[in-house]
Amino acid sequence: MVKGPGLYSDIGKRARDLLFKDYQNDHKFTITTQTLAGVEITSAGVRKGEAFLADVSTKVKNKNVTTDIKVDTNSNLRTTITVDETVPGLKTIFSFIYPEQKSGKVELQYLHDYAGISTSIGLTATPTVNISAVLGNNLVSVGSDVSFETSSGSLNKCNFGLNVTHADLIASLTVNDRGDSLNASYYHVVSPLTNTAVGAELSHSFSSNENVLTIGTQHALDPVTLLKAKVNNYGKASALIQHDWSRQARFSLVGEVDTAAIQKTAKVGLACALKP
């Protein structure tokens, strides 16, 4: 495995996962099964308010080629074909959504000890071209993420990022929305034995002069039970408990309250995942 700066999407990822991953206020149930031939089938259902959404996906892996096909309740058929290591460090991804005719896309990802490059292009007459690159190593890296619209000849995305890793902490800084927003994040491992960590993210919008500060933490009560909590400067506080009943079953309970409007009903999310 290449040890390098990773892709642009990896900048600030540890802090984002700590502060936002698995915090969902919906009710979700997922079950995964596997055939004797190695075909993995996953069925998922999500209740969002009064709406119920479901999808079924099938994943087939043959040597270095993985095919993932998903169909949902909106009759969308999503197909993703991933080819790993055609050459060392290179991954090729083909994806499209039926019946959306302009959804086809091909993406190349290349990982090196001192660079991470990702480029994608839409399979249309006037495609959107996205290019991101990160230079550095697993300690310090800088990168940029640019998207170009060939139909209008304009940039619709231009982001820059910096990532610094030292021992048990990771600090990241990104400039997004073509310079309109600034995002700084911090992730610190307090105790690897108990998976205890703290993190913070500060987002500032120059156009609206708005600041959003989110602070969070996590701690493993035991090897199969994880607690997470976070709060932002608007008074929204959330807590999550995630427990693995066994190697095949994971249960998550999420609660969110608005401390600035305590009279409002708290939001509660449930998730259950079963796998072979």
Side-chain angles (χ1 to χ4, degrees), residues 103-147:
S103 64
K105 182 175 68 173
V106 58
E107 180 179 358
L108 297 176
Q109 296 179 358
Y110 178 70
L111 294 175
H112 185 269
D113 288 340
Y114 302 104
I117 301 172
S118 176
T119 179
S120 66
I121 183 170
L123 302 178
T124 63
T126 54
T128 299
V129 180
N130 193 94
I131 300 175
S132 67
V134 179
L135 300 177
N137 51 36
N138 57 347
L139 299 178
V140 180
S141 59
V142 294
S144 179
D145 184 20
V146 178
S147 184

mmCIF file of all heavy atoms in Angstrom, residues 103-147:
data_model
loop_
_atom_site.group_PDB
_atom_site.id
_atom_site.type_symbol
_atom_site.label_atom_id
_atom_site.label_comp_id
_atom_site.label_asym_id
_atom_site.label_seq_id
_atom_site.Cartn_x
_atom_site.Cartn_y
_atom_site.Cartn_z
ATOM 1 N N SER A 103 -25.140 11.212 -17.207
ATOM 2 C CA SER A 103 -24.538 10.859 -15.924
ATOM 3 C C SER A 103 -23.245 10.065 -16.065
ATOM 4 O O SER A 103 -22.533 9.864 -15.083
ATOM 5 C CB SER A 103 -25.532 10.040 -15.093
ATOM 6 O OG SER A 103 -25.825 8.804 -15.740
ATOM 7 N N GLY A 104 -22.932 9.597 -17.254
ATOM 8 C CA GLY A 104 -21.744 8.782 -17.452
ATOM 9 C C GLY A 104 -20.462 9.536 -17.108
ATOM 10 O O GLY A 104 -20.315 10.721 -17.428
ATOM 11 N N LYS A 105 -19.537 8.854 -16.463
ATOM 12 C CA LYS A 105 -18.293 9.504 -16.044
ATOM 13 C C LYS A 105 -17.191 8.466 -15.923
ATOM 14 O O LYS A 105 -17.433 7.319 -15.540
ATOM 15 C CB LYS A 105 -18.501 10.204 -14.690
ATOM 16 C CG LYS A 105 -17.294 10.959 -14.182
ATOM 17 C CD LYS A 105 -17.622 11.713 -12.900
ATOM 18 C CE LYS A 105 -17.881 10.775 -11.747
ATOM 19 N NZ LYS A 105 -18.029 11.510 -10.462
ATOM 20 N N VAL A 106 -15.971 8.867 -16.262
ATOM 21 C CA VAL A 106 -14.803 8.009 -16.056
ATOM 22 C C VAL A 106 -13.820 8.780 -15.181
ATOM 23 O O VAL A 106 -13.607 9.978 -15.369
ATOM 24 C CB VAL A 106 -14.154 7.594 -17.396
ATOM 25 C CG1 VAL A 106 -13.722 8.811 -18.210
ATOM 26 C CG2 VAL A 106 -12.973 6.662 -17.144
ATOM 27 N N GLU A 107 -13.263 8.082 -14.199
ATOM 28 C CA GLU A 107 -12.366 8.720 -13.236
ATOM 29 C C GLU A 107 -11.089 7.896 -13.089
ATOM 30 O O GLU A 107 -11.124 6.660 -13.047
ATOM 31 C CB GLU A 107 -13.055 8.853 -11.875
ATOM 32 C CG GLU A 107 -12.194 9.498 -10.805
ATOM 33 C CD GLU A 107 -12.917 9.626 -9.476
ATOM 34 O OE1 GLU A 107 -14.104 9.242 -9.414
ATOM 35 O OE2 GLU A 107 -12.304 10.119 -8.515
ATOM 36 N N LEU A 108 -9.967 8.601 -13.004
ATOM 37 C CA LEU A 108 -8.677 7.975 -12.768
ATOM 38 C C LEU A 108 -8.110 8.499 -11.459
ATOM 39 O O LEU A 108 -8.092 9.721 -11.224
ATOM 40 C CB LEU A 108 -7.701 8.282 -13.911
ATOM 41 C CG LEU A 108 -8.073 7.771 -15.306
ATOM 42 C CD1 LEU A 108 -7.043 8.244 -16.318
ATOM 43 C CD2 LEU A 108 -8.173 6.251 -15.325
ATOM 44 N N GLN A 109 -7.648 7.583 -10.608
ATOM 45 C CA GLN A 109 -7.011 7.948 -9.343
ATOM 46 C C GLN A 109 -5.624 7.323 -9.290
ATOM 47 O O GLN A 109 -5.472 6.130 -9.535
ATOM 48 C CB GLN A 109 -7.842 7.457 -8.153
ATOM 49 C CG GLN A 109 -9.212 8.083 -8.042
ATOM 50 C CD GLN A 109 -9.996 7.530 -6.867
ATOM 51 O OE1 GLN A 109 -9.534 6.648 -6.145
ATOM 52 N NE2 GLN A 109 -11.198 8.047 -6.663
ATOM 53 N N TYR A 110 -4.644 8.166 -8.976
ATOM 54 C CA TYR A 110 -3.276 7.674 -8.914
ATOM 55 C C TYR A 110 -2.647 8.090 -7.597
ATOM 56 O O TYR A 110 -2.656 9.275 -7.229
ATOM 57 C CB TYR A 110 -2.458 8.232 -10.078
ATOM 58 C CG TYR A 110 -1.003 7.801 -10.042
ATOM 59 C CD1 TYR A 110 -0.644 6.485 -10.294
ATOM 60 C CD2 TYR A 110 -0.003 8.710 -9.733
ATOM 61 C CE1 TYR A 110 0.677 6.072 -10.260
ATOM 62 C CE2 TYR A 110 1.327 8.315 -9.691
ATOM 63 C CZ TYR A 110 1.659 7.001 -9.950
ATOM 64 O OH TYR A 110 2.969 6.603 -9.894
ATOM 65 N N LEU A 111 -2.111 7.106 -6.865
ATOM 66 C CA LEU A 111 -1.482 7.353 -5.576
ATOM 67 C C LEU A 111 -0.002 7.027 -5.652
ATOM 68 O O LEU A 111 0.389 5.953 -6.133
ATOM 69 C CB LEU A 111 -2.143 6.513 -4.479
ATOM 70 C CG LEU A 111 -3.602 6.843 -4.150
ATOM 71 C CD1 LEU A 111 -4.156 5.863 -3.130
ATOM 72 C CD2 LEU A 111 -3.728 8.273 -3.632
ATOM 73 N N HIS A 112 0.812 7.963 -5.175
ATOM 74 C CA HIS A 112 2.262 7.831 -5.170
ATOM 75 C C HIS A 112 2.761 8.211 -3.787
ATOM 76 O O HIS A 112 2.022 8.806 -2.984
ATOM 77 C CB HIS A 112 2.870 8.738 -6.256
ATOM 78 C CG HIS A 112 4.349 8.601 -6.420
ATOM 79 N ND1 HIS A 112 5.250 9.385 -5.726
ATOM 80 C CD2 HIS A 112 5.079 7.767 -7.200
ATOM 81 C CE1 HIS A 112 6.478 9.039 -6.077
ATOM 82 N NE2 HIS A 112 6.408 8.062 -6.970
ATOM 83 N N ASP A 113 4.007 7.876 -3.483
ATOM 84 C CA ASP A 113 4.565 8.219 -2.177
ATOM 85 C C ASP A 113 4.554 9.725 -1.912
ATOM 86 O O ASP A 113 4.508 10.156 -0.758
ATOM 87 C CB ASP A 113 6.005 7.710 -2.059
ATOM 88 C CG ASP A 113 6.059 6.188 -1.932
ATOM 89 O OD1 ASP A 113 5.021 5.601 -1.558
ATOM 90 O OD2 ASP A 113 7.111 5.599 -2.215
ATOM 91 N N TYR A 114 4.583 10.528 -2.978
ATOM 92 C CA TYR A 114 4.656 11.977 -2.803
ATOM 93 C C TYR A 114 3.577 12.724 -3.576
ATOM 94 O O TYR A 114 3.667 13.942 -3.735
ATOM 95 C CB TYR A 114 6.038 12.490 -3.224
ATOM 96 C CG TYR A 114 7.162 11.837 -2.456
ATOM 97 C CD1 TYR A 114 7.949 10.856 -3.040
ATOM 98 C CD2 TYR A 114 7.420 12.182 -1.134
ATOM 99 C CE1 TYR A 114 8.959 10.224 -2.335
ATOM 100 C CE2 TYR A 114 8.428 11.562 -0.408
ATOM 101 C CZ TYR A 114 9.202 10.590 -1.022
ATOM 102 O OH TYR A 114 10.205 9.976 -0.316
ATOM 103 N N ALA A 115 2.571 12.027 -4.044
ATOM 104 C CA ALA A 115 1.511 12.691 -4.803
ATOM 105 C C ALA A 115 0.247 11.845 -4.818
ATOM 106 O O ALA A 115 0.297 10.619 -4.709
ATOM 107 C CB ALA A 115 1.959 12.969 -6.231
ATOM 108 N N GLY A 116 -0.881 12.531 -4.947
ATOM 109 C CA GLY A 116 -2.169 11.883 -5.139
ATOM 110 C C GLY A 116 -2.952 12.669 -6.167
ATOM 111 O O GLY A 116 -3.198 13.862 -5.983
ATOM 112 N N ILE A 117 -3.316 12.041 -7.275
ATOM 113 C CA ILE A 117 -3.963 12.738 -8.389
ATOM 114 C C ILE A 117 -5.267 12.038 -8.734
ATOM 115 O O ILE A 117 -5.338 10.808 -8.801
ATOM 116 C CB ILE A 117 -3.054 12.775 -9.625
ATOM 117 C CG1 ILE A 117 -1.732 13.483 -9.298
ATOM 118 C CG2 ILE A 117 -3.742 13.472 -10.793
ATOM 119 C CD1 ILE A 117 -0.702 13.391 -10.398
ATOM 120 N N SER A 118 -6.306 12.833 -8.937
ATOM 121 C CA SER A 118 -7.602 12.305 -9.357
ATOM 122 C C SER A 118 -8.154 13.194 -10.460
ATOM 123 O O SER A 118 -8.156 14.420 -10.338
ATOM 124 C CB SER A 118 -8.586 12.262 -8.178
ATOM 125 O OG SER A 118 -9.870 11.833 -8.609
ATOM 126 N N THR A 119 -8.590 12.569 -11.535
ATOM 127 C CA THR A 119 -9.188 13.328 -12.631
ATOM 128 C C THR A 119 -10.407 12.588 -13.151
ATOM 129 O O THR A 119 -10.419 11.356 -13.215
ATOM 130 C CB THR A 119 -8.174 13.553 -13.772
ATOM 131 O OG1 THR A 119 -8.801 14.270 -14.837
ATOM 132 C CG2 THR A 119 -7.643 12.244 -14.303
ATOM 133 N N SER A 120 -11.454 13.331 -13.456
ATOM 134 C CA SER A 120 -12.672 12.723 -13.979
ATOM 135 C C SER A 120 -13.224 13.575 -15.110
ATOM 136 O O SER A 120 -13.028 14.794 -15.147
ATOM 137 C CB SER A 120 -13.727 12.575 -12.869
ATOM 138 O OG SER A 120 -14.172 13.840 -12.419
ATOM 139 N N ILE A 121 -13.903 12.919 -16.042
ATOM 140 C CA ILE A 121 -14.507 13.617 -17.170
ATOM 141 C C ILE A 121 -15.843 12.970 -17.490
ATOM 142 O O ILE A 121 -15.978 11.746 -17.489
ATOM 143 C CB ILE A 121 -13.567 13.591 -18.403
ATOM 144 C CG1 ILE A 121 -14.185 14.386 -19.554
ATOM 145 C CG2 ILE A 121 -13.218 12.186 -18.823
ATOM 146 C CD1 ILE A 121 -13.222 14.603 -20.704
ATOM 147 N N GLY A 122 -16.847 13.801 -17.723
ATOM 148 C CA GLY A 122 -18.164 13.297 -18.077
ATOM 149 C C GLY A 122 -18.186 12.772 -19.499
ATOM 150 O O GLY A 122 -17.499 13.295 -20.383
ATOM 151 N N LEU A 123 -18.957 11.723 -19.725
ATOM 152 C CA LEU A 123 -19.044 11.107 -21.050
ATOM 153 C C LEU A 123 -20.164 11.765 -21.850
ATOM 154 O O LEU A 123 -21.170 11.133 -22.211
ATOM 155 C CB LEU A 123 -19.265 9.601 -20.910
ATOM 156 C CG LEU A 123 -18.188 8.857 -20.121
ATOM 157 C CD1 LEU A 123 -18.529 7.380 -20.009
ATOM 158 C CD2 LEU A 123 -16.820 9.040 -20.773
ATOM 159 N N THR A 124 -20.005 13.058 -22.148
ATOM 160 C CA THR A 124 -20.964 13.827 -22.925
ATOM 161 C C THR A 124 -20.214 14.659 -23.959
ATOM 162 O O THR A 124 -18.980 14.721 -23.951
ATOM 163 C CB THR A 124 -21.796 14.763 -22.026
ATOM 164 O OG1 THR A 124 -20.909 15.717 -21.398
ATOM 165 C CG2 THR A 124 -22.523 13.983 -20.943
ATOM 166 N N ALA A 125 -20.969 15.317 -24.839
ATOM 167 C CA ALA A 125 -20.335 16.146 -25.865
ATOM 168 C C ALA A 125 -19.641 17.361 -25.260
ATOM 169 O O ALA A 125 -18.602 17.817 -25.750
ATOM 170 C CB ALA A 125 -21.384 16.587 -26.886
ATOM 171 N N THR A 126 -20.209 17.914 -24.190
ATOM 172 C CA THR A 126 -19.599 19.054 -23.488
ATOM 173 C C THR A 126 -19.454 18.669 -22.017
ATOM 174 O O THR A 126 -20.263 19.068 -21.173
ATOM 175 C CB THR A 126 -20.478 20.313 -23.628
ATOM 176 O OG1 THR A 126 -21.807 20.020 -23.186
ATOM 177 C CG2 THR A 126 -20.513 20.791 -25.066
ATOM 178 N N PRO A 127 -18.442 17.894 -21.705
ATOM 179 C CA PRO A 127 -18.338 17.327 -20.353
ATOM 180 C C PRO A 127 -17.821 18.312 -19.319
ATOM 181 O O PRO A 127 -17.211 19.338 -19.638
ATOM 182 C CB PRO A 127 -17.337 16.191 -20.556
ATOM 183 C CG PRO A 127 -16.448 16.684 -21.649
ATOM 184 C CD PRO A 127 -17.355 17.450 -22.574
ATOM 185 N N THR A 128 -18.057 17.960 -18.062
ATOM 186 C CA THR A 128 -17.427 18.631 -16.932
ATOM 187 C C THR A 128 -16.141 17.886 -16.600
ATOM 188 O O THR A 128 -16.150 16.662 -16.454
ATOM 189 C CB THR A 128 -18.359 18.645 -15.708
ATOM 190 O OG1 THR A 128 -19.554 19.352 -16.029
ATOM 191 C CG2 THR A 128 -17.687 19.307 -14.520
ATOM 192 N N VAL A 129 -15.055 18.622 -16.498
ATOM 193 C CA VAL A 129 -13.752 18.025 -16.217
ATOM 194 C C VAL A 129 -13.318 18.432 -14.818
ATOM 195 O O VAL A 129 -13.302 19.625 -14.484
ATOM 196 C CB VAL A 129 -12.695 18.475 -17.248
ATOM 197 C CG1 VAL A 129 -11.344 17.839 -16.931
ATOM 198 C CG2 VAL A 129 -13.139 18.109 -18.656
ATOM 199 N N ASN A 130 -12.994 17.456 -13.991
ATOM 200 C CA ASN A 130 -12.552 17.723 -12.619
ATOM 201 C C ASN A 130 -11.138 17.175 -12.428
ATOM 202 O O ASN A 130 -10.863 16.023 -12.768
ATOM 203 C CB ASN A 130 -13.493 17.080 -11.611
ATOM 204 C CG ASN A 130 -13.249 17.582 -10.192
ATOM 205 O OD1 ASN A 130 -13.893 18.505 -9.737
ATOM 206 N ND2 ASN A 130 -12.309 16.969 -9.490
ATOM 207 N N ILE A 131 -10.268 18.001 -11.901
ATOM 208 C CA ILE A 131 -8.886 17.594 -11.652
ATOM 209 C C ILE A 131 -8.499 18.018 -10.237
ATOM 210 O O ILE A 131 -8.702 19.169 -9.841
ATOM 211 C CB ILE A 131 -7.912 18.236 -12.660
ATOM 212 C CG1 ILE A 131 -8.268 17.836 -14.093
ATOM 213 C CG2 ILE A 131 -6.474 17.823 -12.359
ATOM 214 C CD1 ILE A 131 -7.433 18.535 -15.142
ATOM 215 N N SER A 132 -7.963 17.084 -9.471
ATOM 216 C CA SER A 132 -7.453 17.404 -8.147
ATOM 217 C C SER A 132 -6.084 16.769 -7.992
ATOM 218 O O SER A 132 -5.829 15.688 -8.521
ATOM 219 C CB SER A 132 -8.403 16.909 -7.051
ATOM 220 O OG SER A 132 -8.446 15.496 -7.023
ATOM 221 N N ALA A 133 -5.206 17.459 -7.273
ATOM 222 C CA ALA A 133 -3.855 16.958 -7.075
ATOM 223 C C ALA A 133 -3.368 17.369 -5.696
ATOM 224 O O ALA A 133 -3.664 18.466 -5.211
ATOM 225 C CB ALA A 133 -2.912 17.500 -8.149
ATOM 226 N N VAL A 134 -2.641 16.463 -5.057
ATOM 227 C CA VAL A 134 -2.045 16.712 -3.748
ATOM 228 C C VAL A 134 -0.574 16.340 -3.831
ATOM 229 O O VAL A 134 -0.220 15.271 -4.329
ATOM 230 C CB VAL A 134 -2.733 15.890 -2.630
ATOM 231 C CG1 VAL A 134 -2.072 16.148 -1.284
ATOM 232 C CG2 VAL A 134 -4.213 16.218 -2.560
ATOM 233 N N LEU A 135 0.275 17.228 -3.331
ATOM 234 C CA LEU A 135 1.717 16.987 -3.308
ATOM 235 C C LEU A 135 2.209 17.027 -1.868
ATOM 236 O O LEU A 135 1.719 17.829 -1.068
ATOM 237 C CB LEU A 135 2.465 18.037 -4.142
ATOM 238 C CG LEU A 135 2.107 18.127 -5.623
ATOM 239 C CD1 LEU A 135 2.872 19.266 -6.284
ATOM 240 C CD2 LEU A 135 2.384 16.808 -6.341
ATOM 241 N N GLY A 136 3.170 16.186 -1.546
ATOM 242 C CA GLY A 136 3.724 16.148 -0.195
ATOM 243 C C GLY A 136 3.997 14.728 0.233
ATOM 244 O O GLY A 136 4.318 13.857 -0.574
ATOM 245 N N ASN A 137 3.846 14.483 1.523
ATOM 246 C CA ASN A 137 4.024 13.139 2.061
ATOM 247 C C ASN A 137 2.965 12.905 3.124
ATOM 248 O O ASN A 137 1.971 13.642 3.189
ATOM 249 C CB ASN A 137 5.444 12.957 2.619
ATOM 250 C CG ASN A 137 5.836 14.079 3.578
ATOM 251 O OD1 ASN A 137 5.001 14.584 4.338
ATOM 252 N ND2 ASN A 137 7.093 14.480 3.539
ATOM 253 N N ASN A 138 3.144 11.874 3.963
ATOM 254 C CA ASN A 138 2.126 11.588 4.969
ATOM 255 C C ASN A 138 2.220 12.506 6.175
ATOM 256 O O ASN A 138 1.462 12.355 7.136
ATOM 257 C CB ASN A 138 2.224 10.129 5.416
ATOM 258 C CG ASN A 138 3.608 9.783 5.950
ATOM 259 O OD1 ASN A 138 4.554 10.541 5.773
ATOM 260 N ND2 ASN A 138 3.720 8.636 6.606
ATOM 261 N N LEU A 139 3.114 13.514 6.138
ATOM 262 C CA LEU A 139 3.222 14.500 7.222
ATOM 263 C C LEU A 139 2.689 15.864 6.814
ATOM 264 O O LEU A 139 1.897 16.468 7.544
ATOM 265 C CB LEU A 139 4.679 14.626 7.677
ATOM 266 C CG LEU A 139 5.328 13.356 8.237
ATOM 267 C CD1 LEU A 139 6.786 13.628 8.599
ATOM 268 C CD2 LEU A 139 4.559 12.857 9.453
ATOM 269 N N VAL A 140 3.096 16.361 5.659
ATOM 270 C CA VAL A 140 2.653 17.669 5.172
ATOM 271 C C VAL A 140 2.271 17.539 3.702
ATOM 272 O O VAL A 140 3.007 16.939 2.912
ATOM 273 C CB VAL A 140 3.748 18.749 5.334
ATOM 274 C CG1 VAL A 140 3.250 20.094 4.805
ATOM 275 C CG2 VAL A 140 4.184 18.873 6.772
ATOM 276 N N SER A 141 1.125 18.103 3.350
ATOM 277 C CA SER A 141 0.696 18.050 1.955
ATOM 278 C C SER A 141 -0.137 19.283 1.616
ATOM 279 O O SER A 141 -0.802 19.861 2.477
ATOM 280 C CB SER A 141 -0.127 16.784 1.684
ATOM 281 O OG SER A 141 -1.279 16.730 2.508
ATOM 282 N N VAL A 142 -0.062 19.685 0.341
ATOM 283 C CA VAL A 142 -0.874 20.783 -0.181
ATOM 284 C C VAL A 142 -1.545 20.292 -1.448
ATOM 285 O O VAL A 142 -1.005 19.434 -2.167
ATOM 286 C CB VAL A 142 -0.034 22.048 -0.462
ATOM 287 C CG1 VAL A 142 0.525 22.626 0.823
ATOM 288 C CG2 VAL A 142 1.107 21.731 -1.433
ATOM 289 N N GLY A 143 -2.727 20.828 -1.737
ATOM 290 C CA GLY A 143 -3.436 20.358 -2.916
ATOM 291 C C GLY A 143 -4.453 21.340 -3.421
ATOM 292 O O GLY A 143 -4.753 22.364 -2.790
ATOM 293 N N SER A 144 -5.013 21.021 -4.574
ATOM 294 C CA SER A 144 -6.032 21.848 -5.203
ATOM 295 C C SER A 144 -7.052 20.955 -5.890
ATOM 296 O O SER A 144 -6.718 19.852 -6.353
ATOM 297 C CB SER A 144 -5.396 22.805 -6.217
ATOM 298 O OG SER A 144 -6.377 23.601 -6.858
ATOM 299 N N ASP A 145 -8.287 21.426 -5.963
ATOM 300 C CA ASP A 145 -9.389 20.703 -6.589
ATOM 301 C C ASP A 145 -10.106 21.678 -7.516
ATOM 302 O O ASP A 145 -10.693 22.664 -7.055
ATOM 303 C CB ASP A 145 -10.331 20.156 -5.521
ATOM 304 C CG ASP A 145 -11.449 19.308 -6.108
ATOM 305 O OD1 ASP A 145 -11.288 18.831 -7.248
ATOM 306 O OD2 ASP A 145 -12.472 19.122 -5.424
ATOM 307 N N VAL A 146 -10.057 21.411 -8.814
ATOM 308 C CA VAL A 146 -10.595 22.329 -9.811
ATOM 309 C C VAL A 146 -11.573 21.596 -10.710
ATOM 310 O O VAL A 146 -11.322 20.458 -11.131
ATOM 311 C CB VAL A 146 -9.459 22.948 -10.660
ATOM 312 C CG1 VAL A 146 -10.032 23.874 -11.732
ATOM 313 C CG2 VAL A 146 -8.477 23.703 -9.779
ATOM 314 N N SER A 147 -12.696 22.245 -11.020
ATOM 315 C CA SER A 147 -13.692 21.694 -11.936
ATOM 316 C C SER A 147 -13.954 22.698 -13.047
ATOM 317 O O SER A 147 -14.173 23.883 -12.790
ATOM 318 C CB SER A 147 -14.988 21.386 -11.185
ATOM 319 O OG SER A 147 -15.936 20.776 -12.040
#
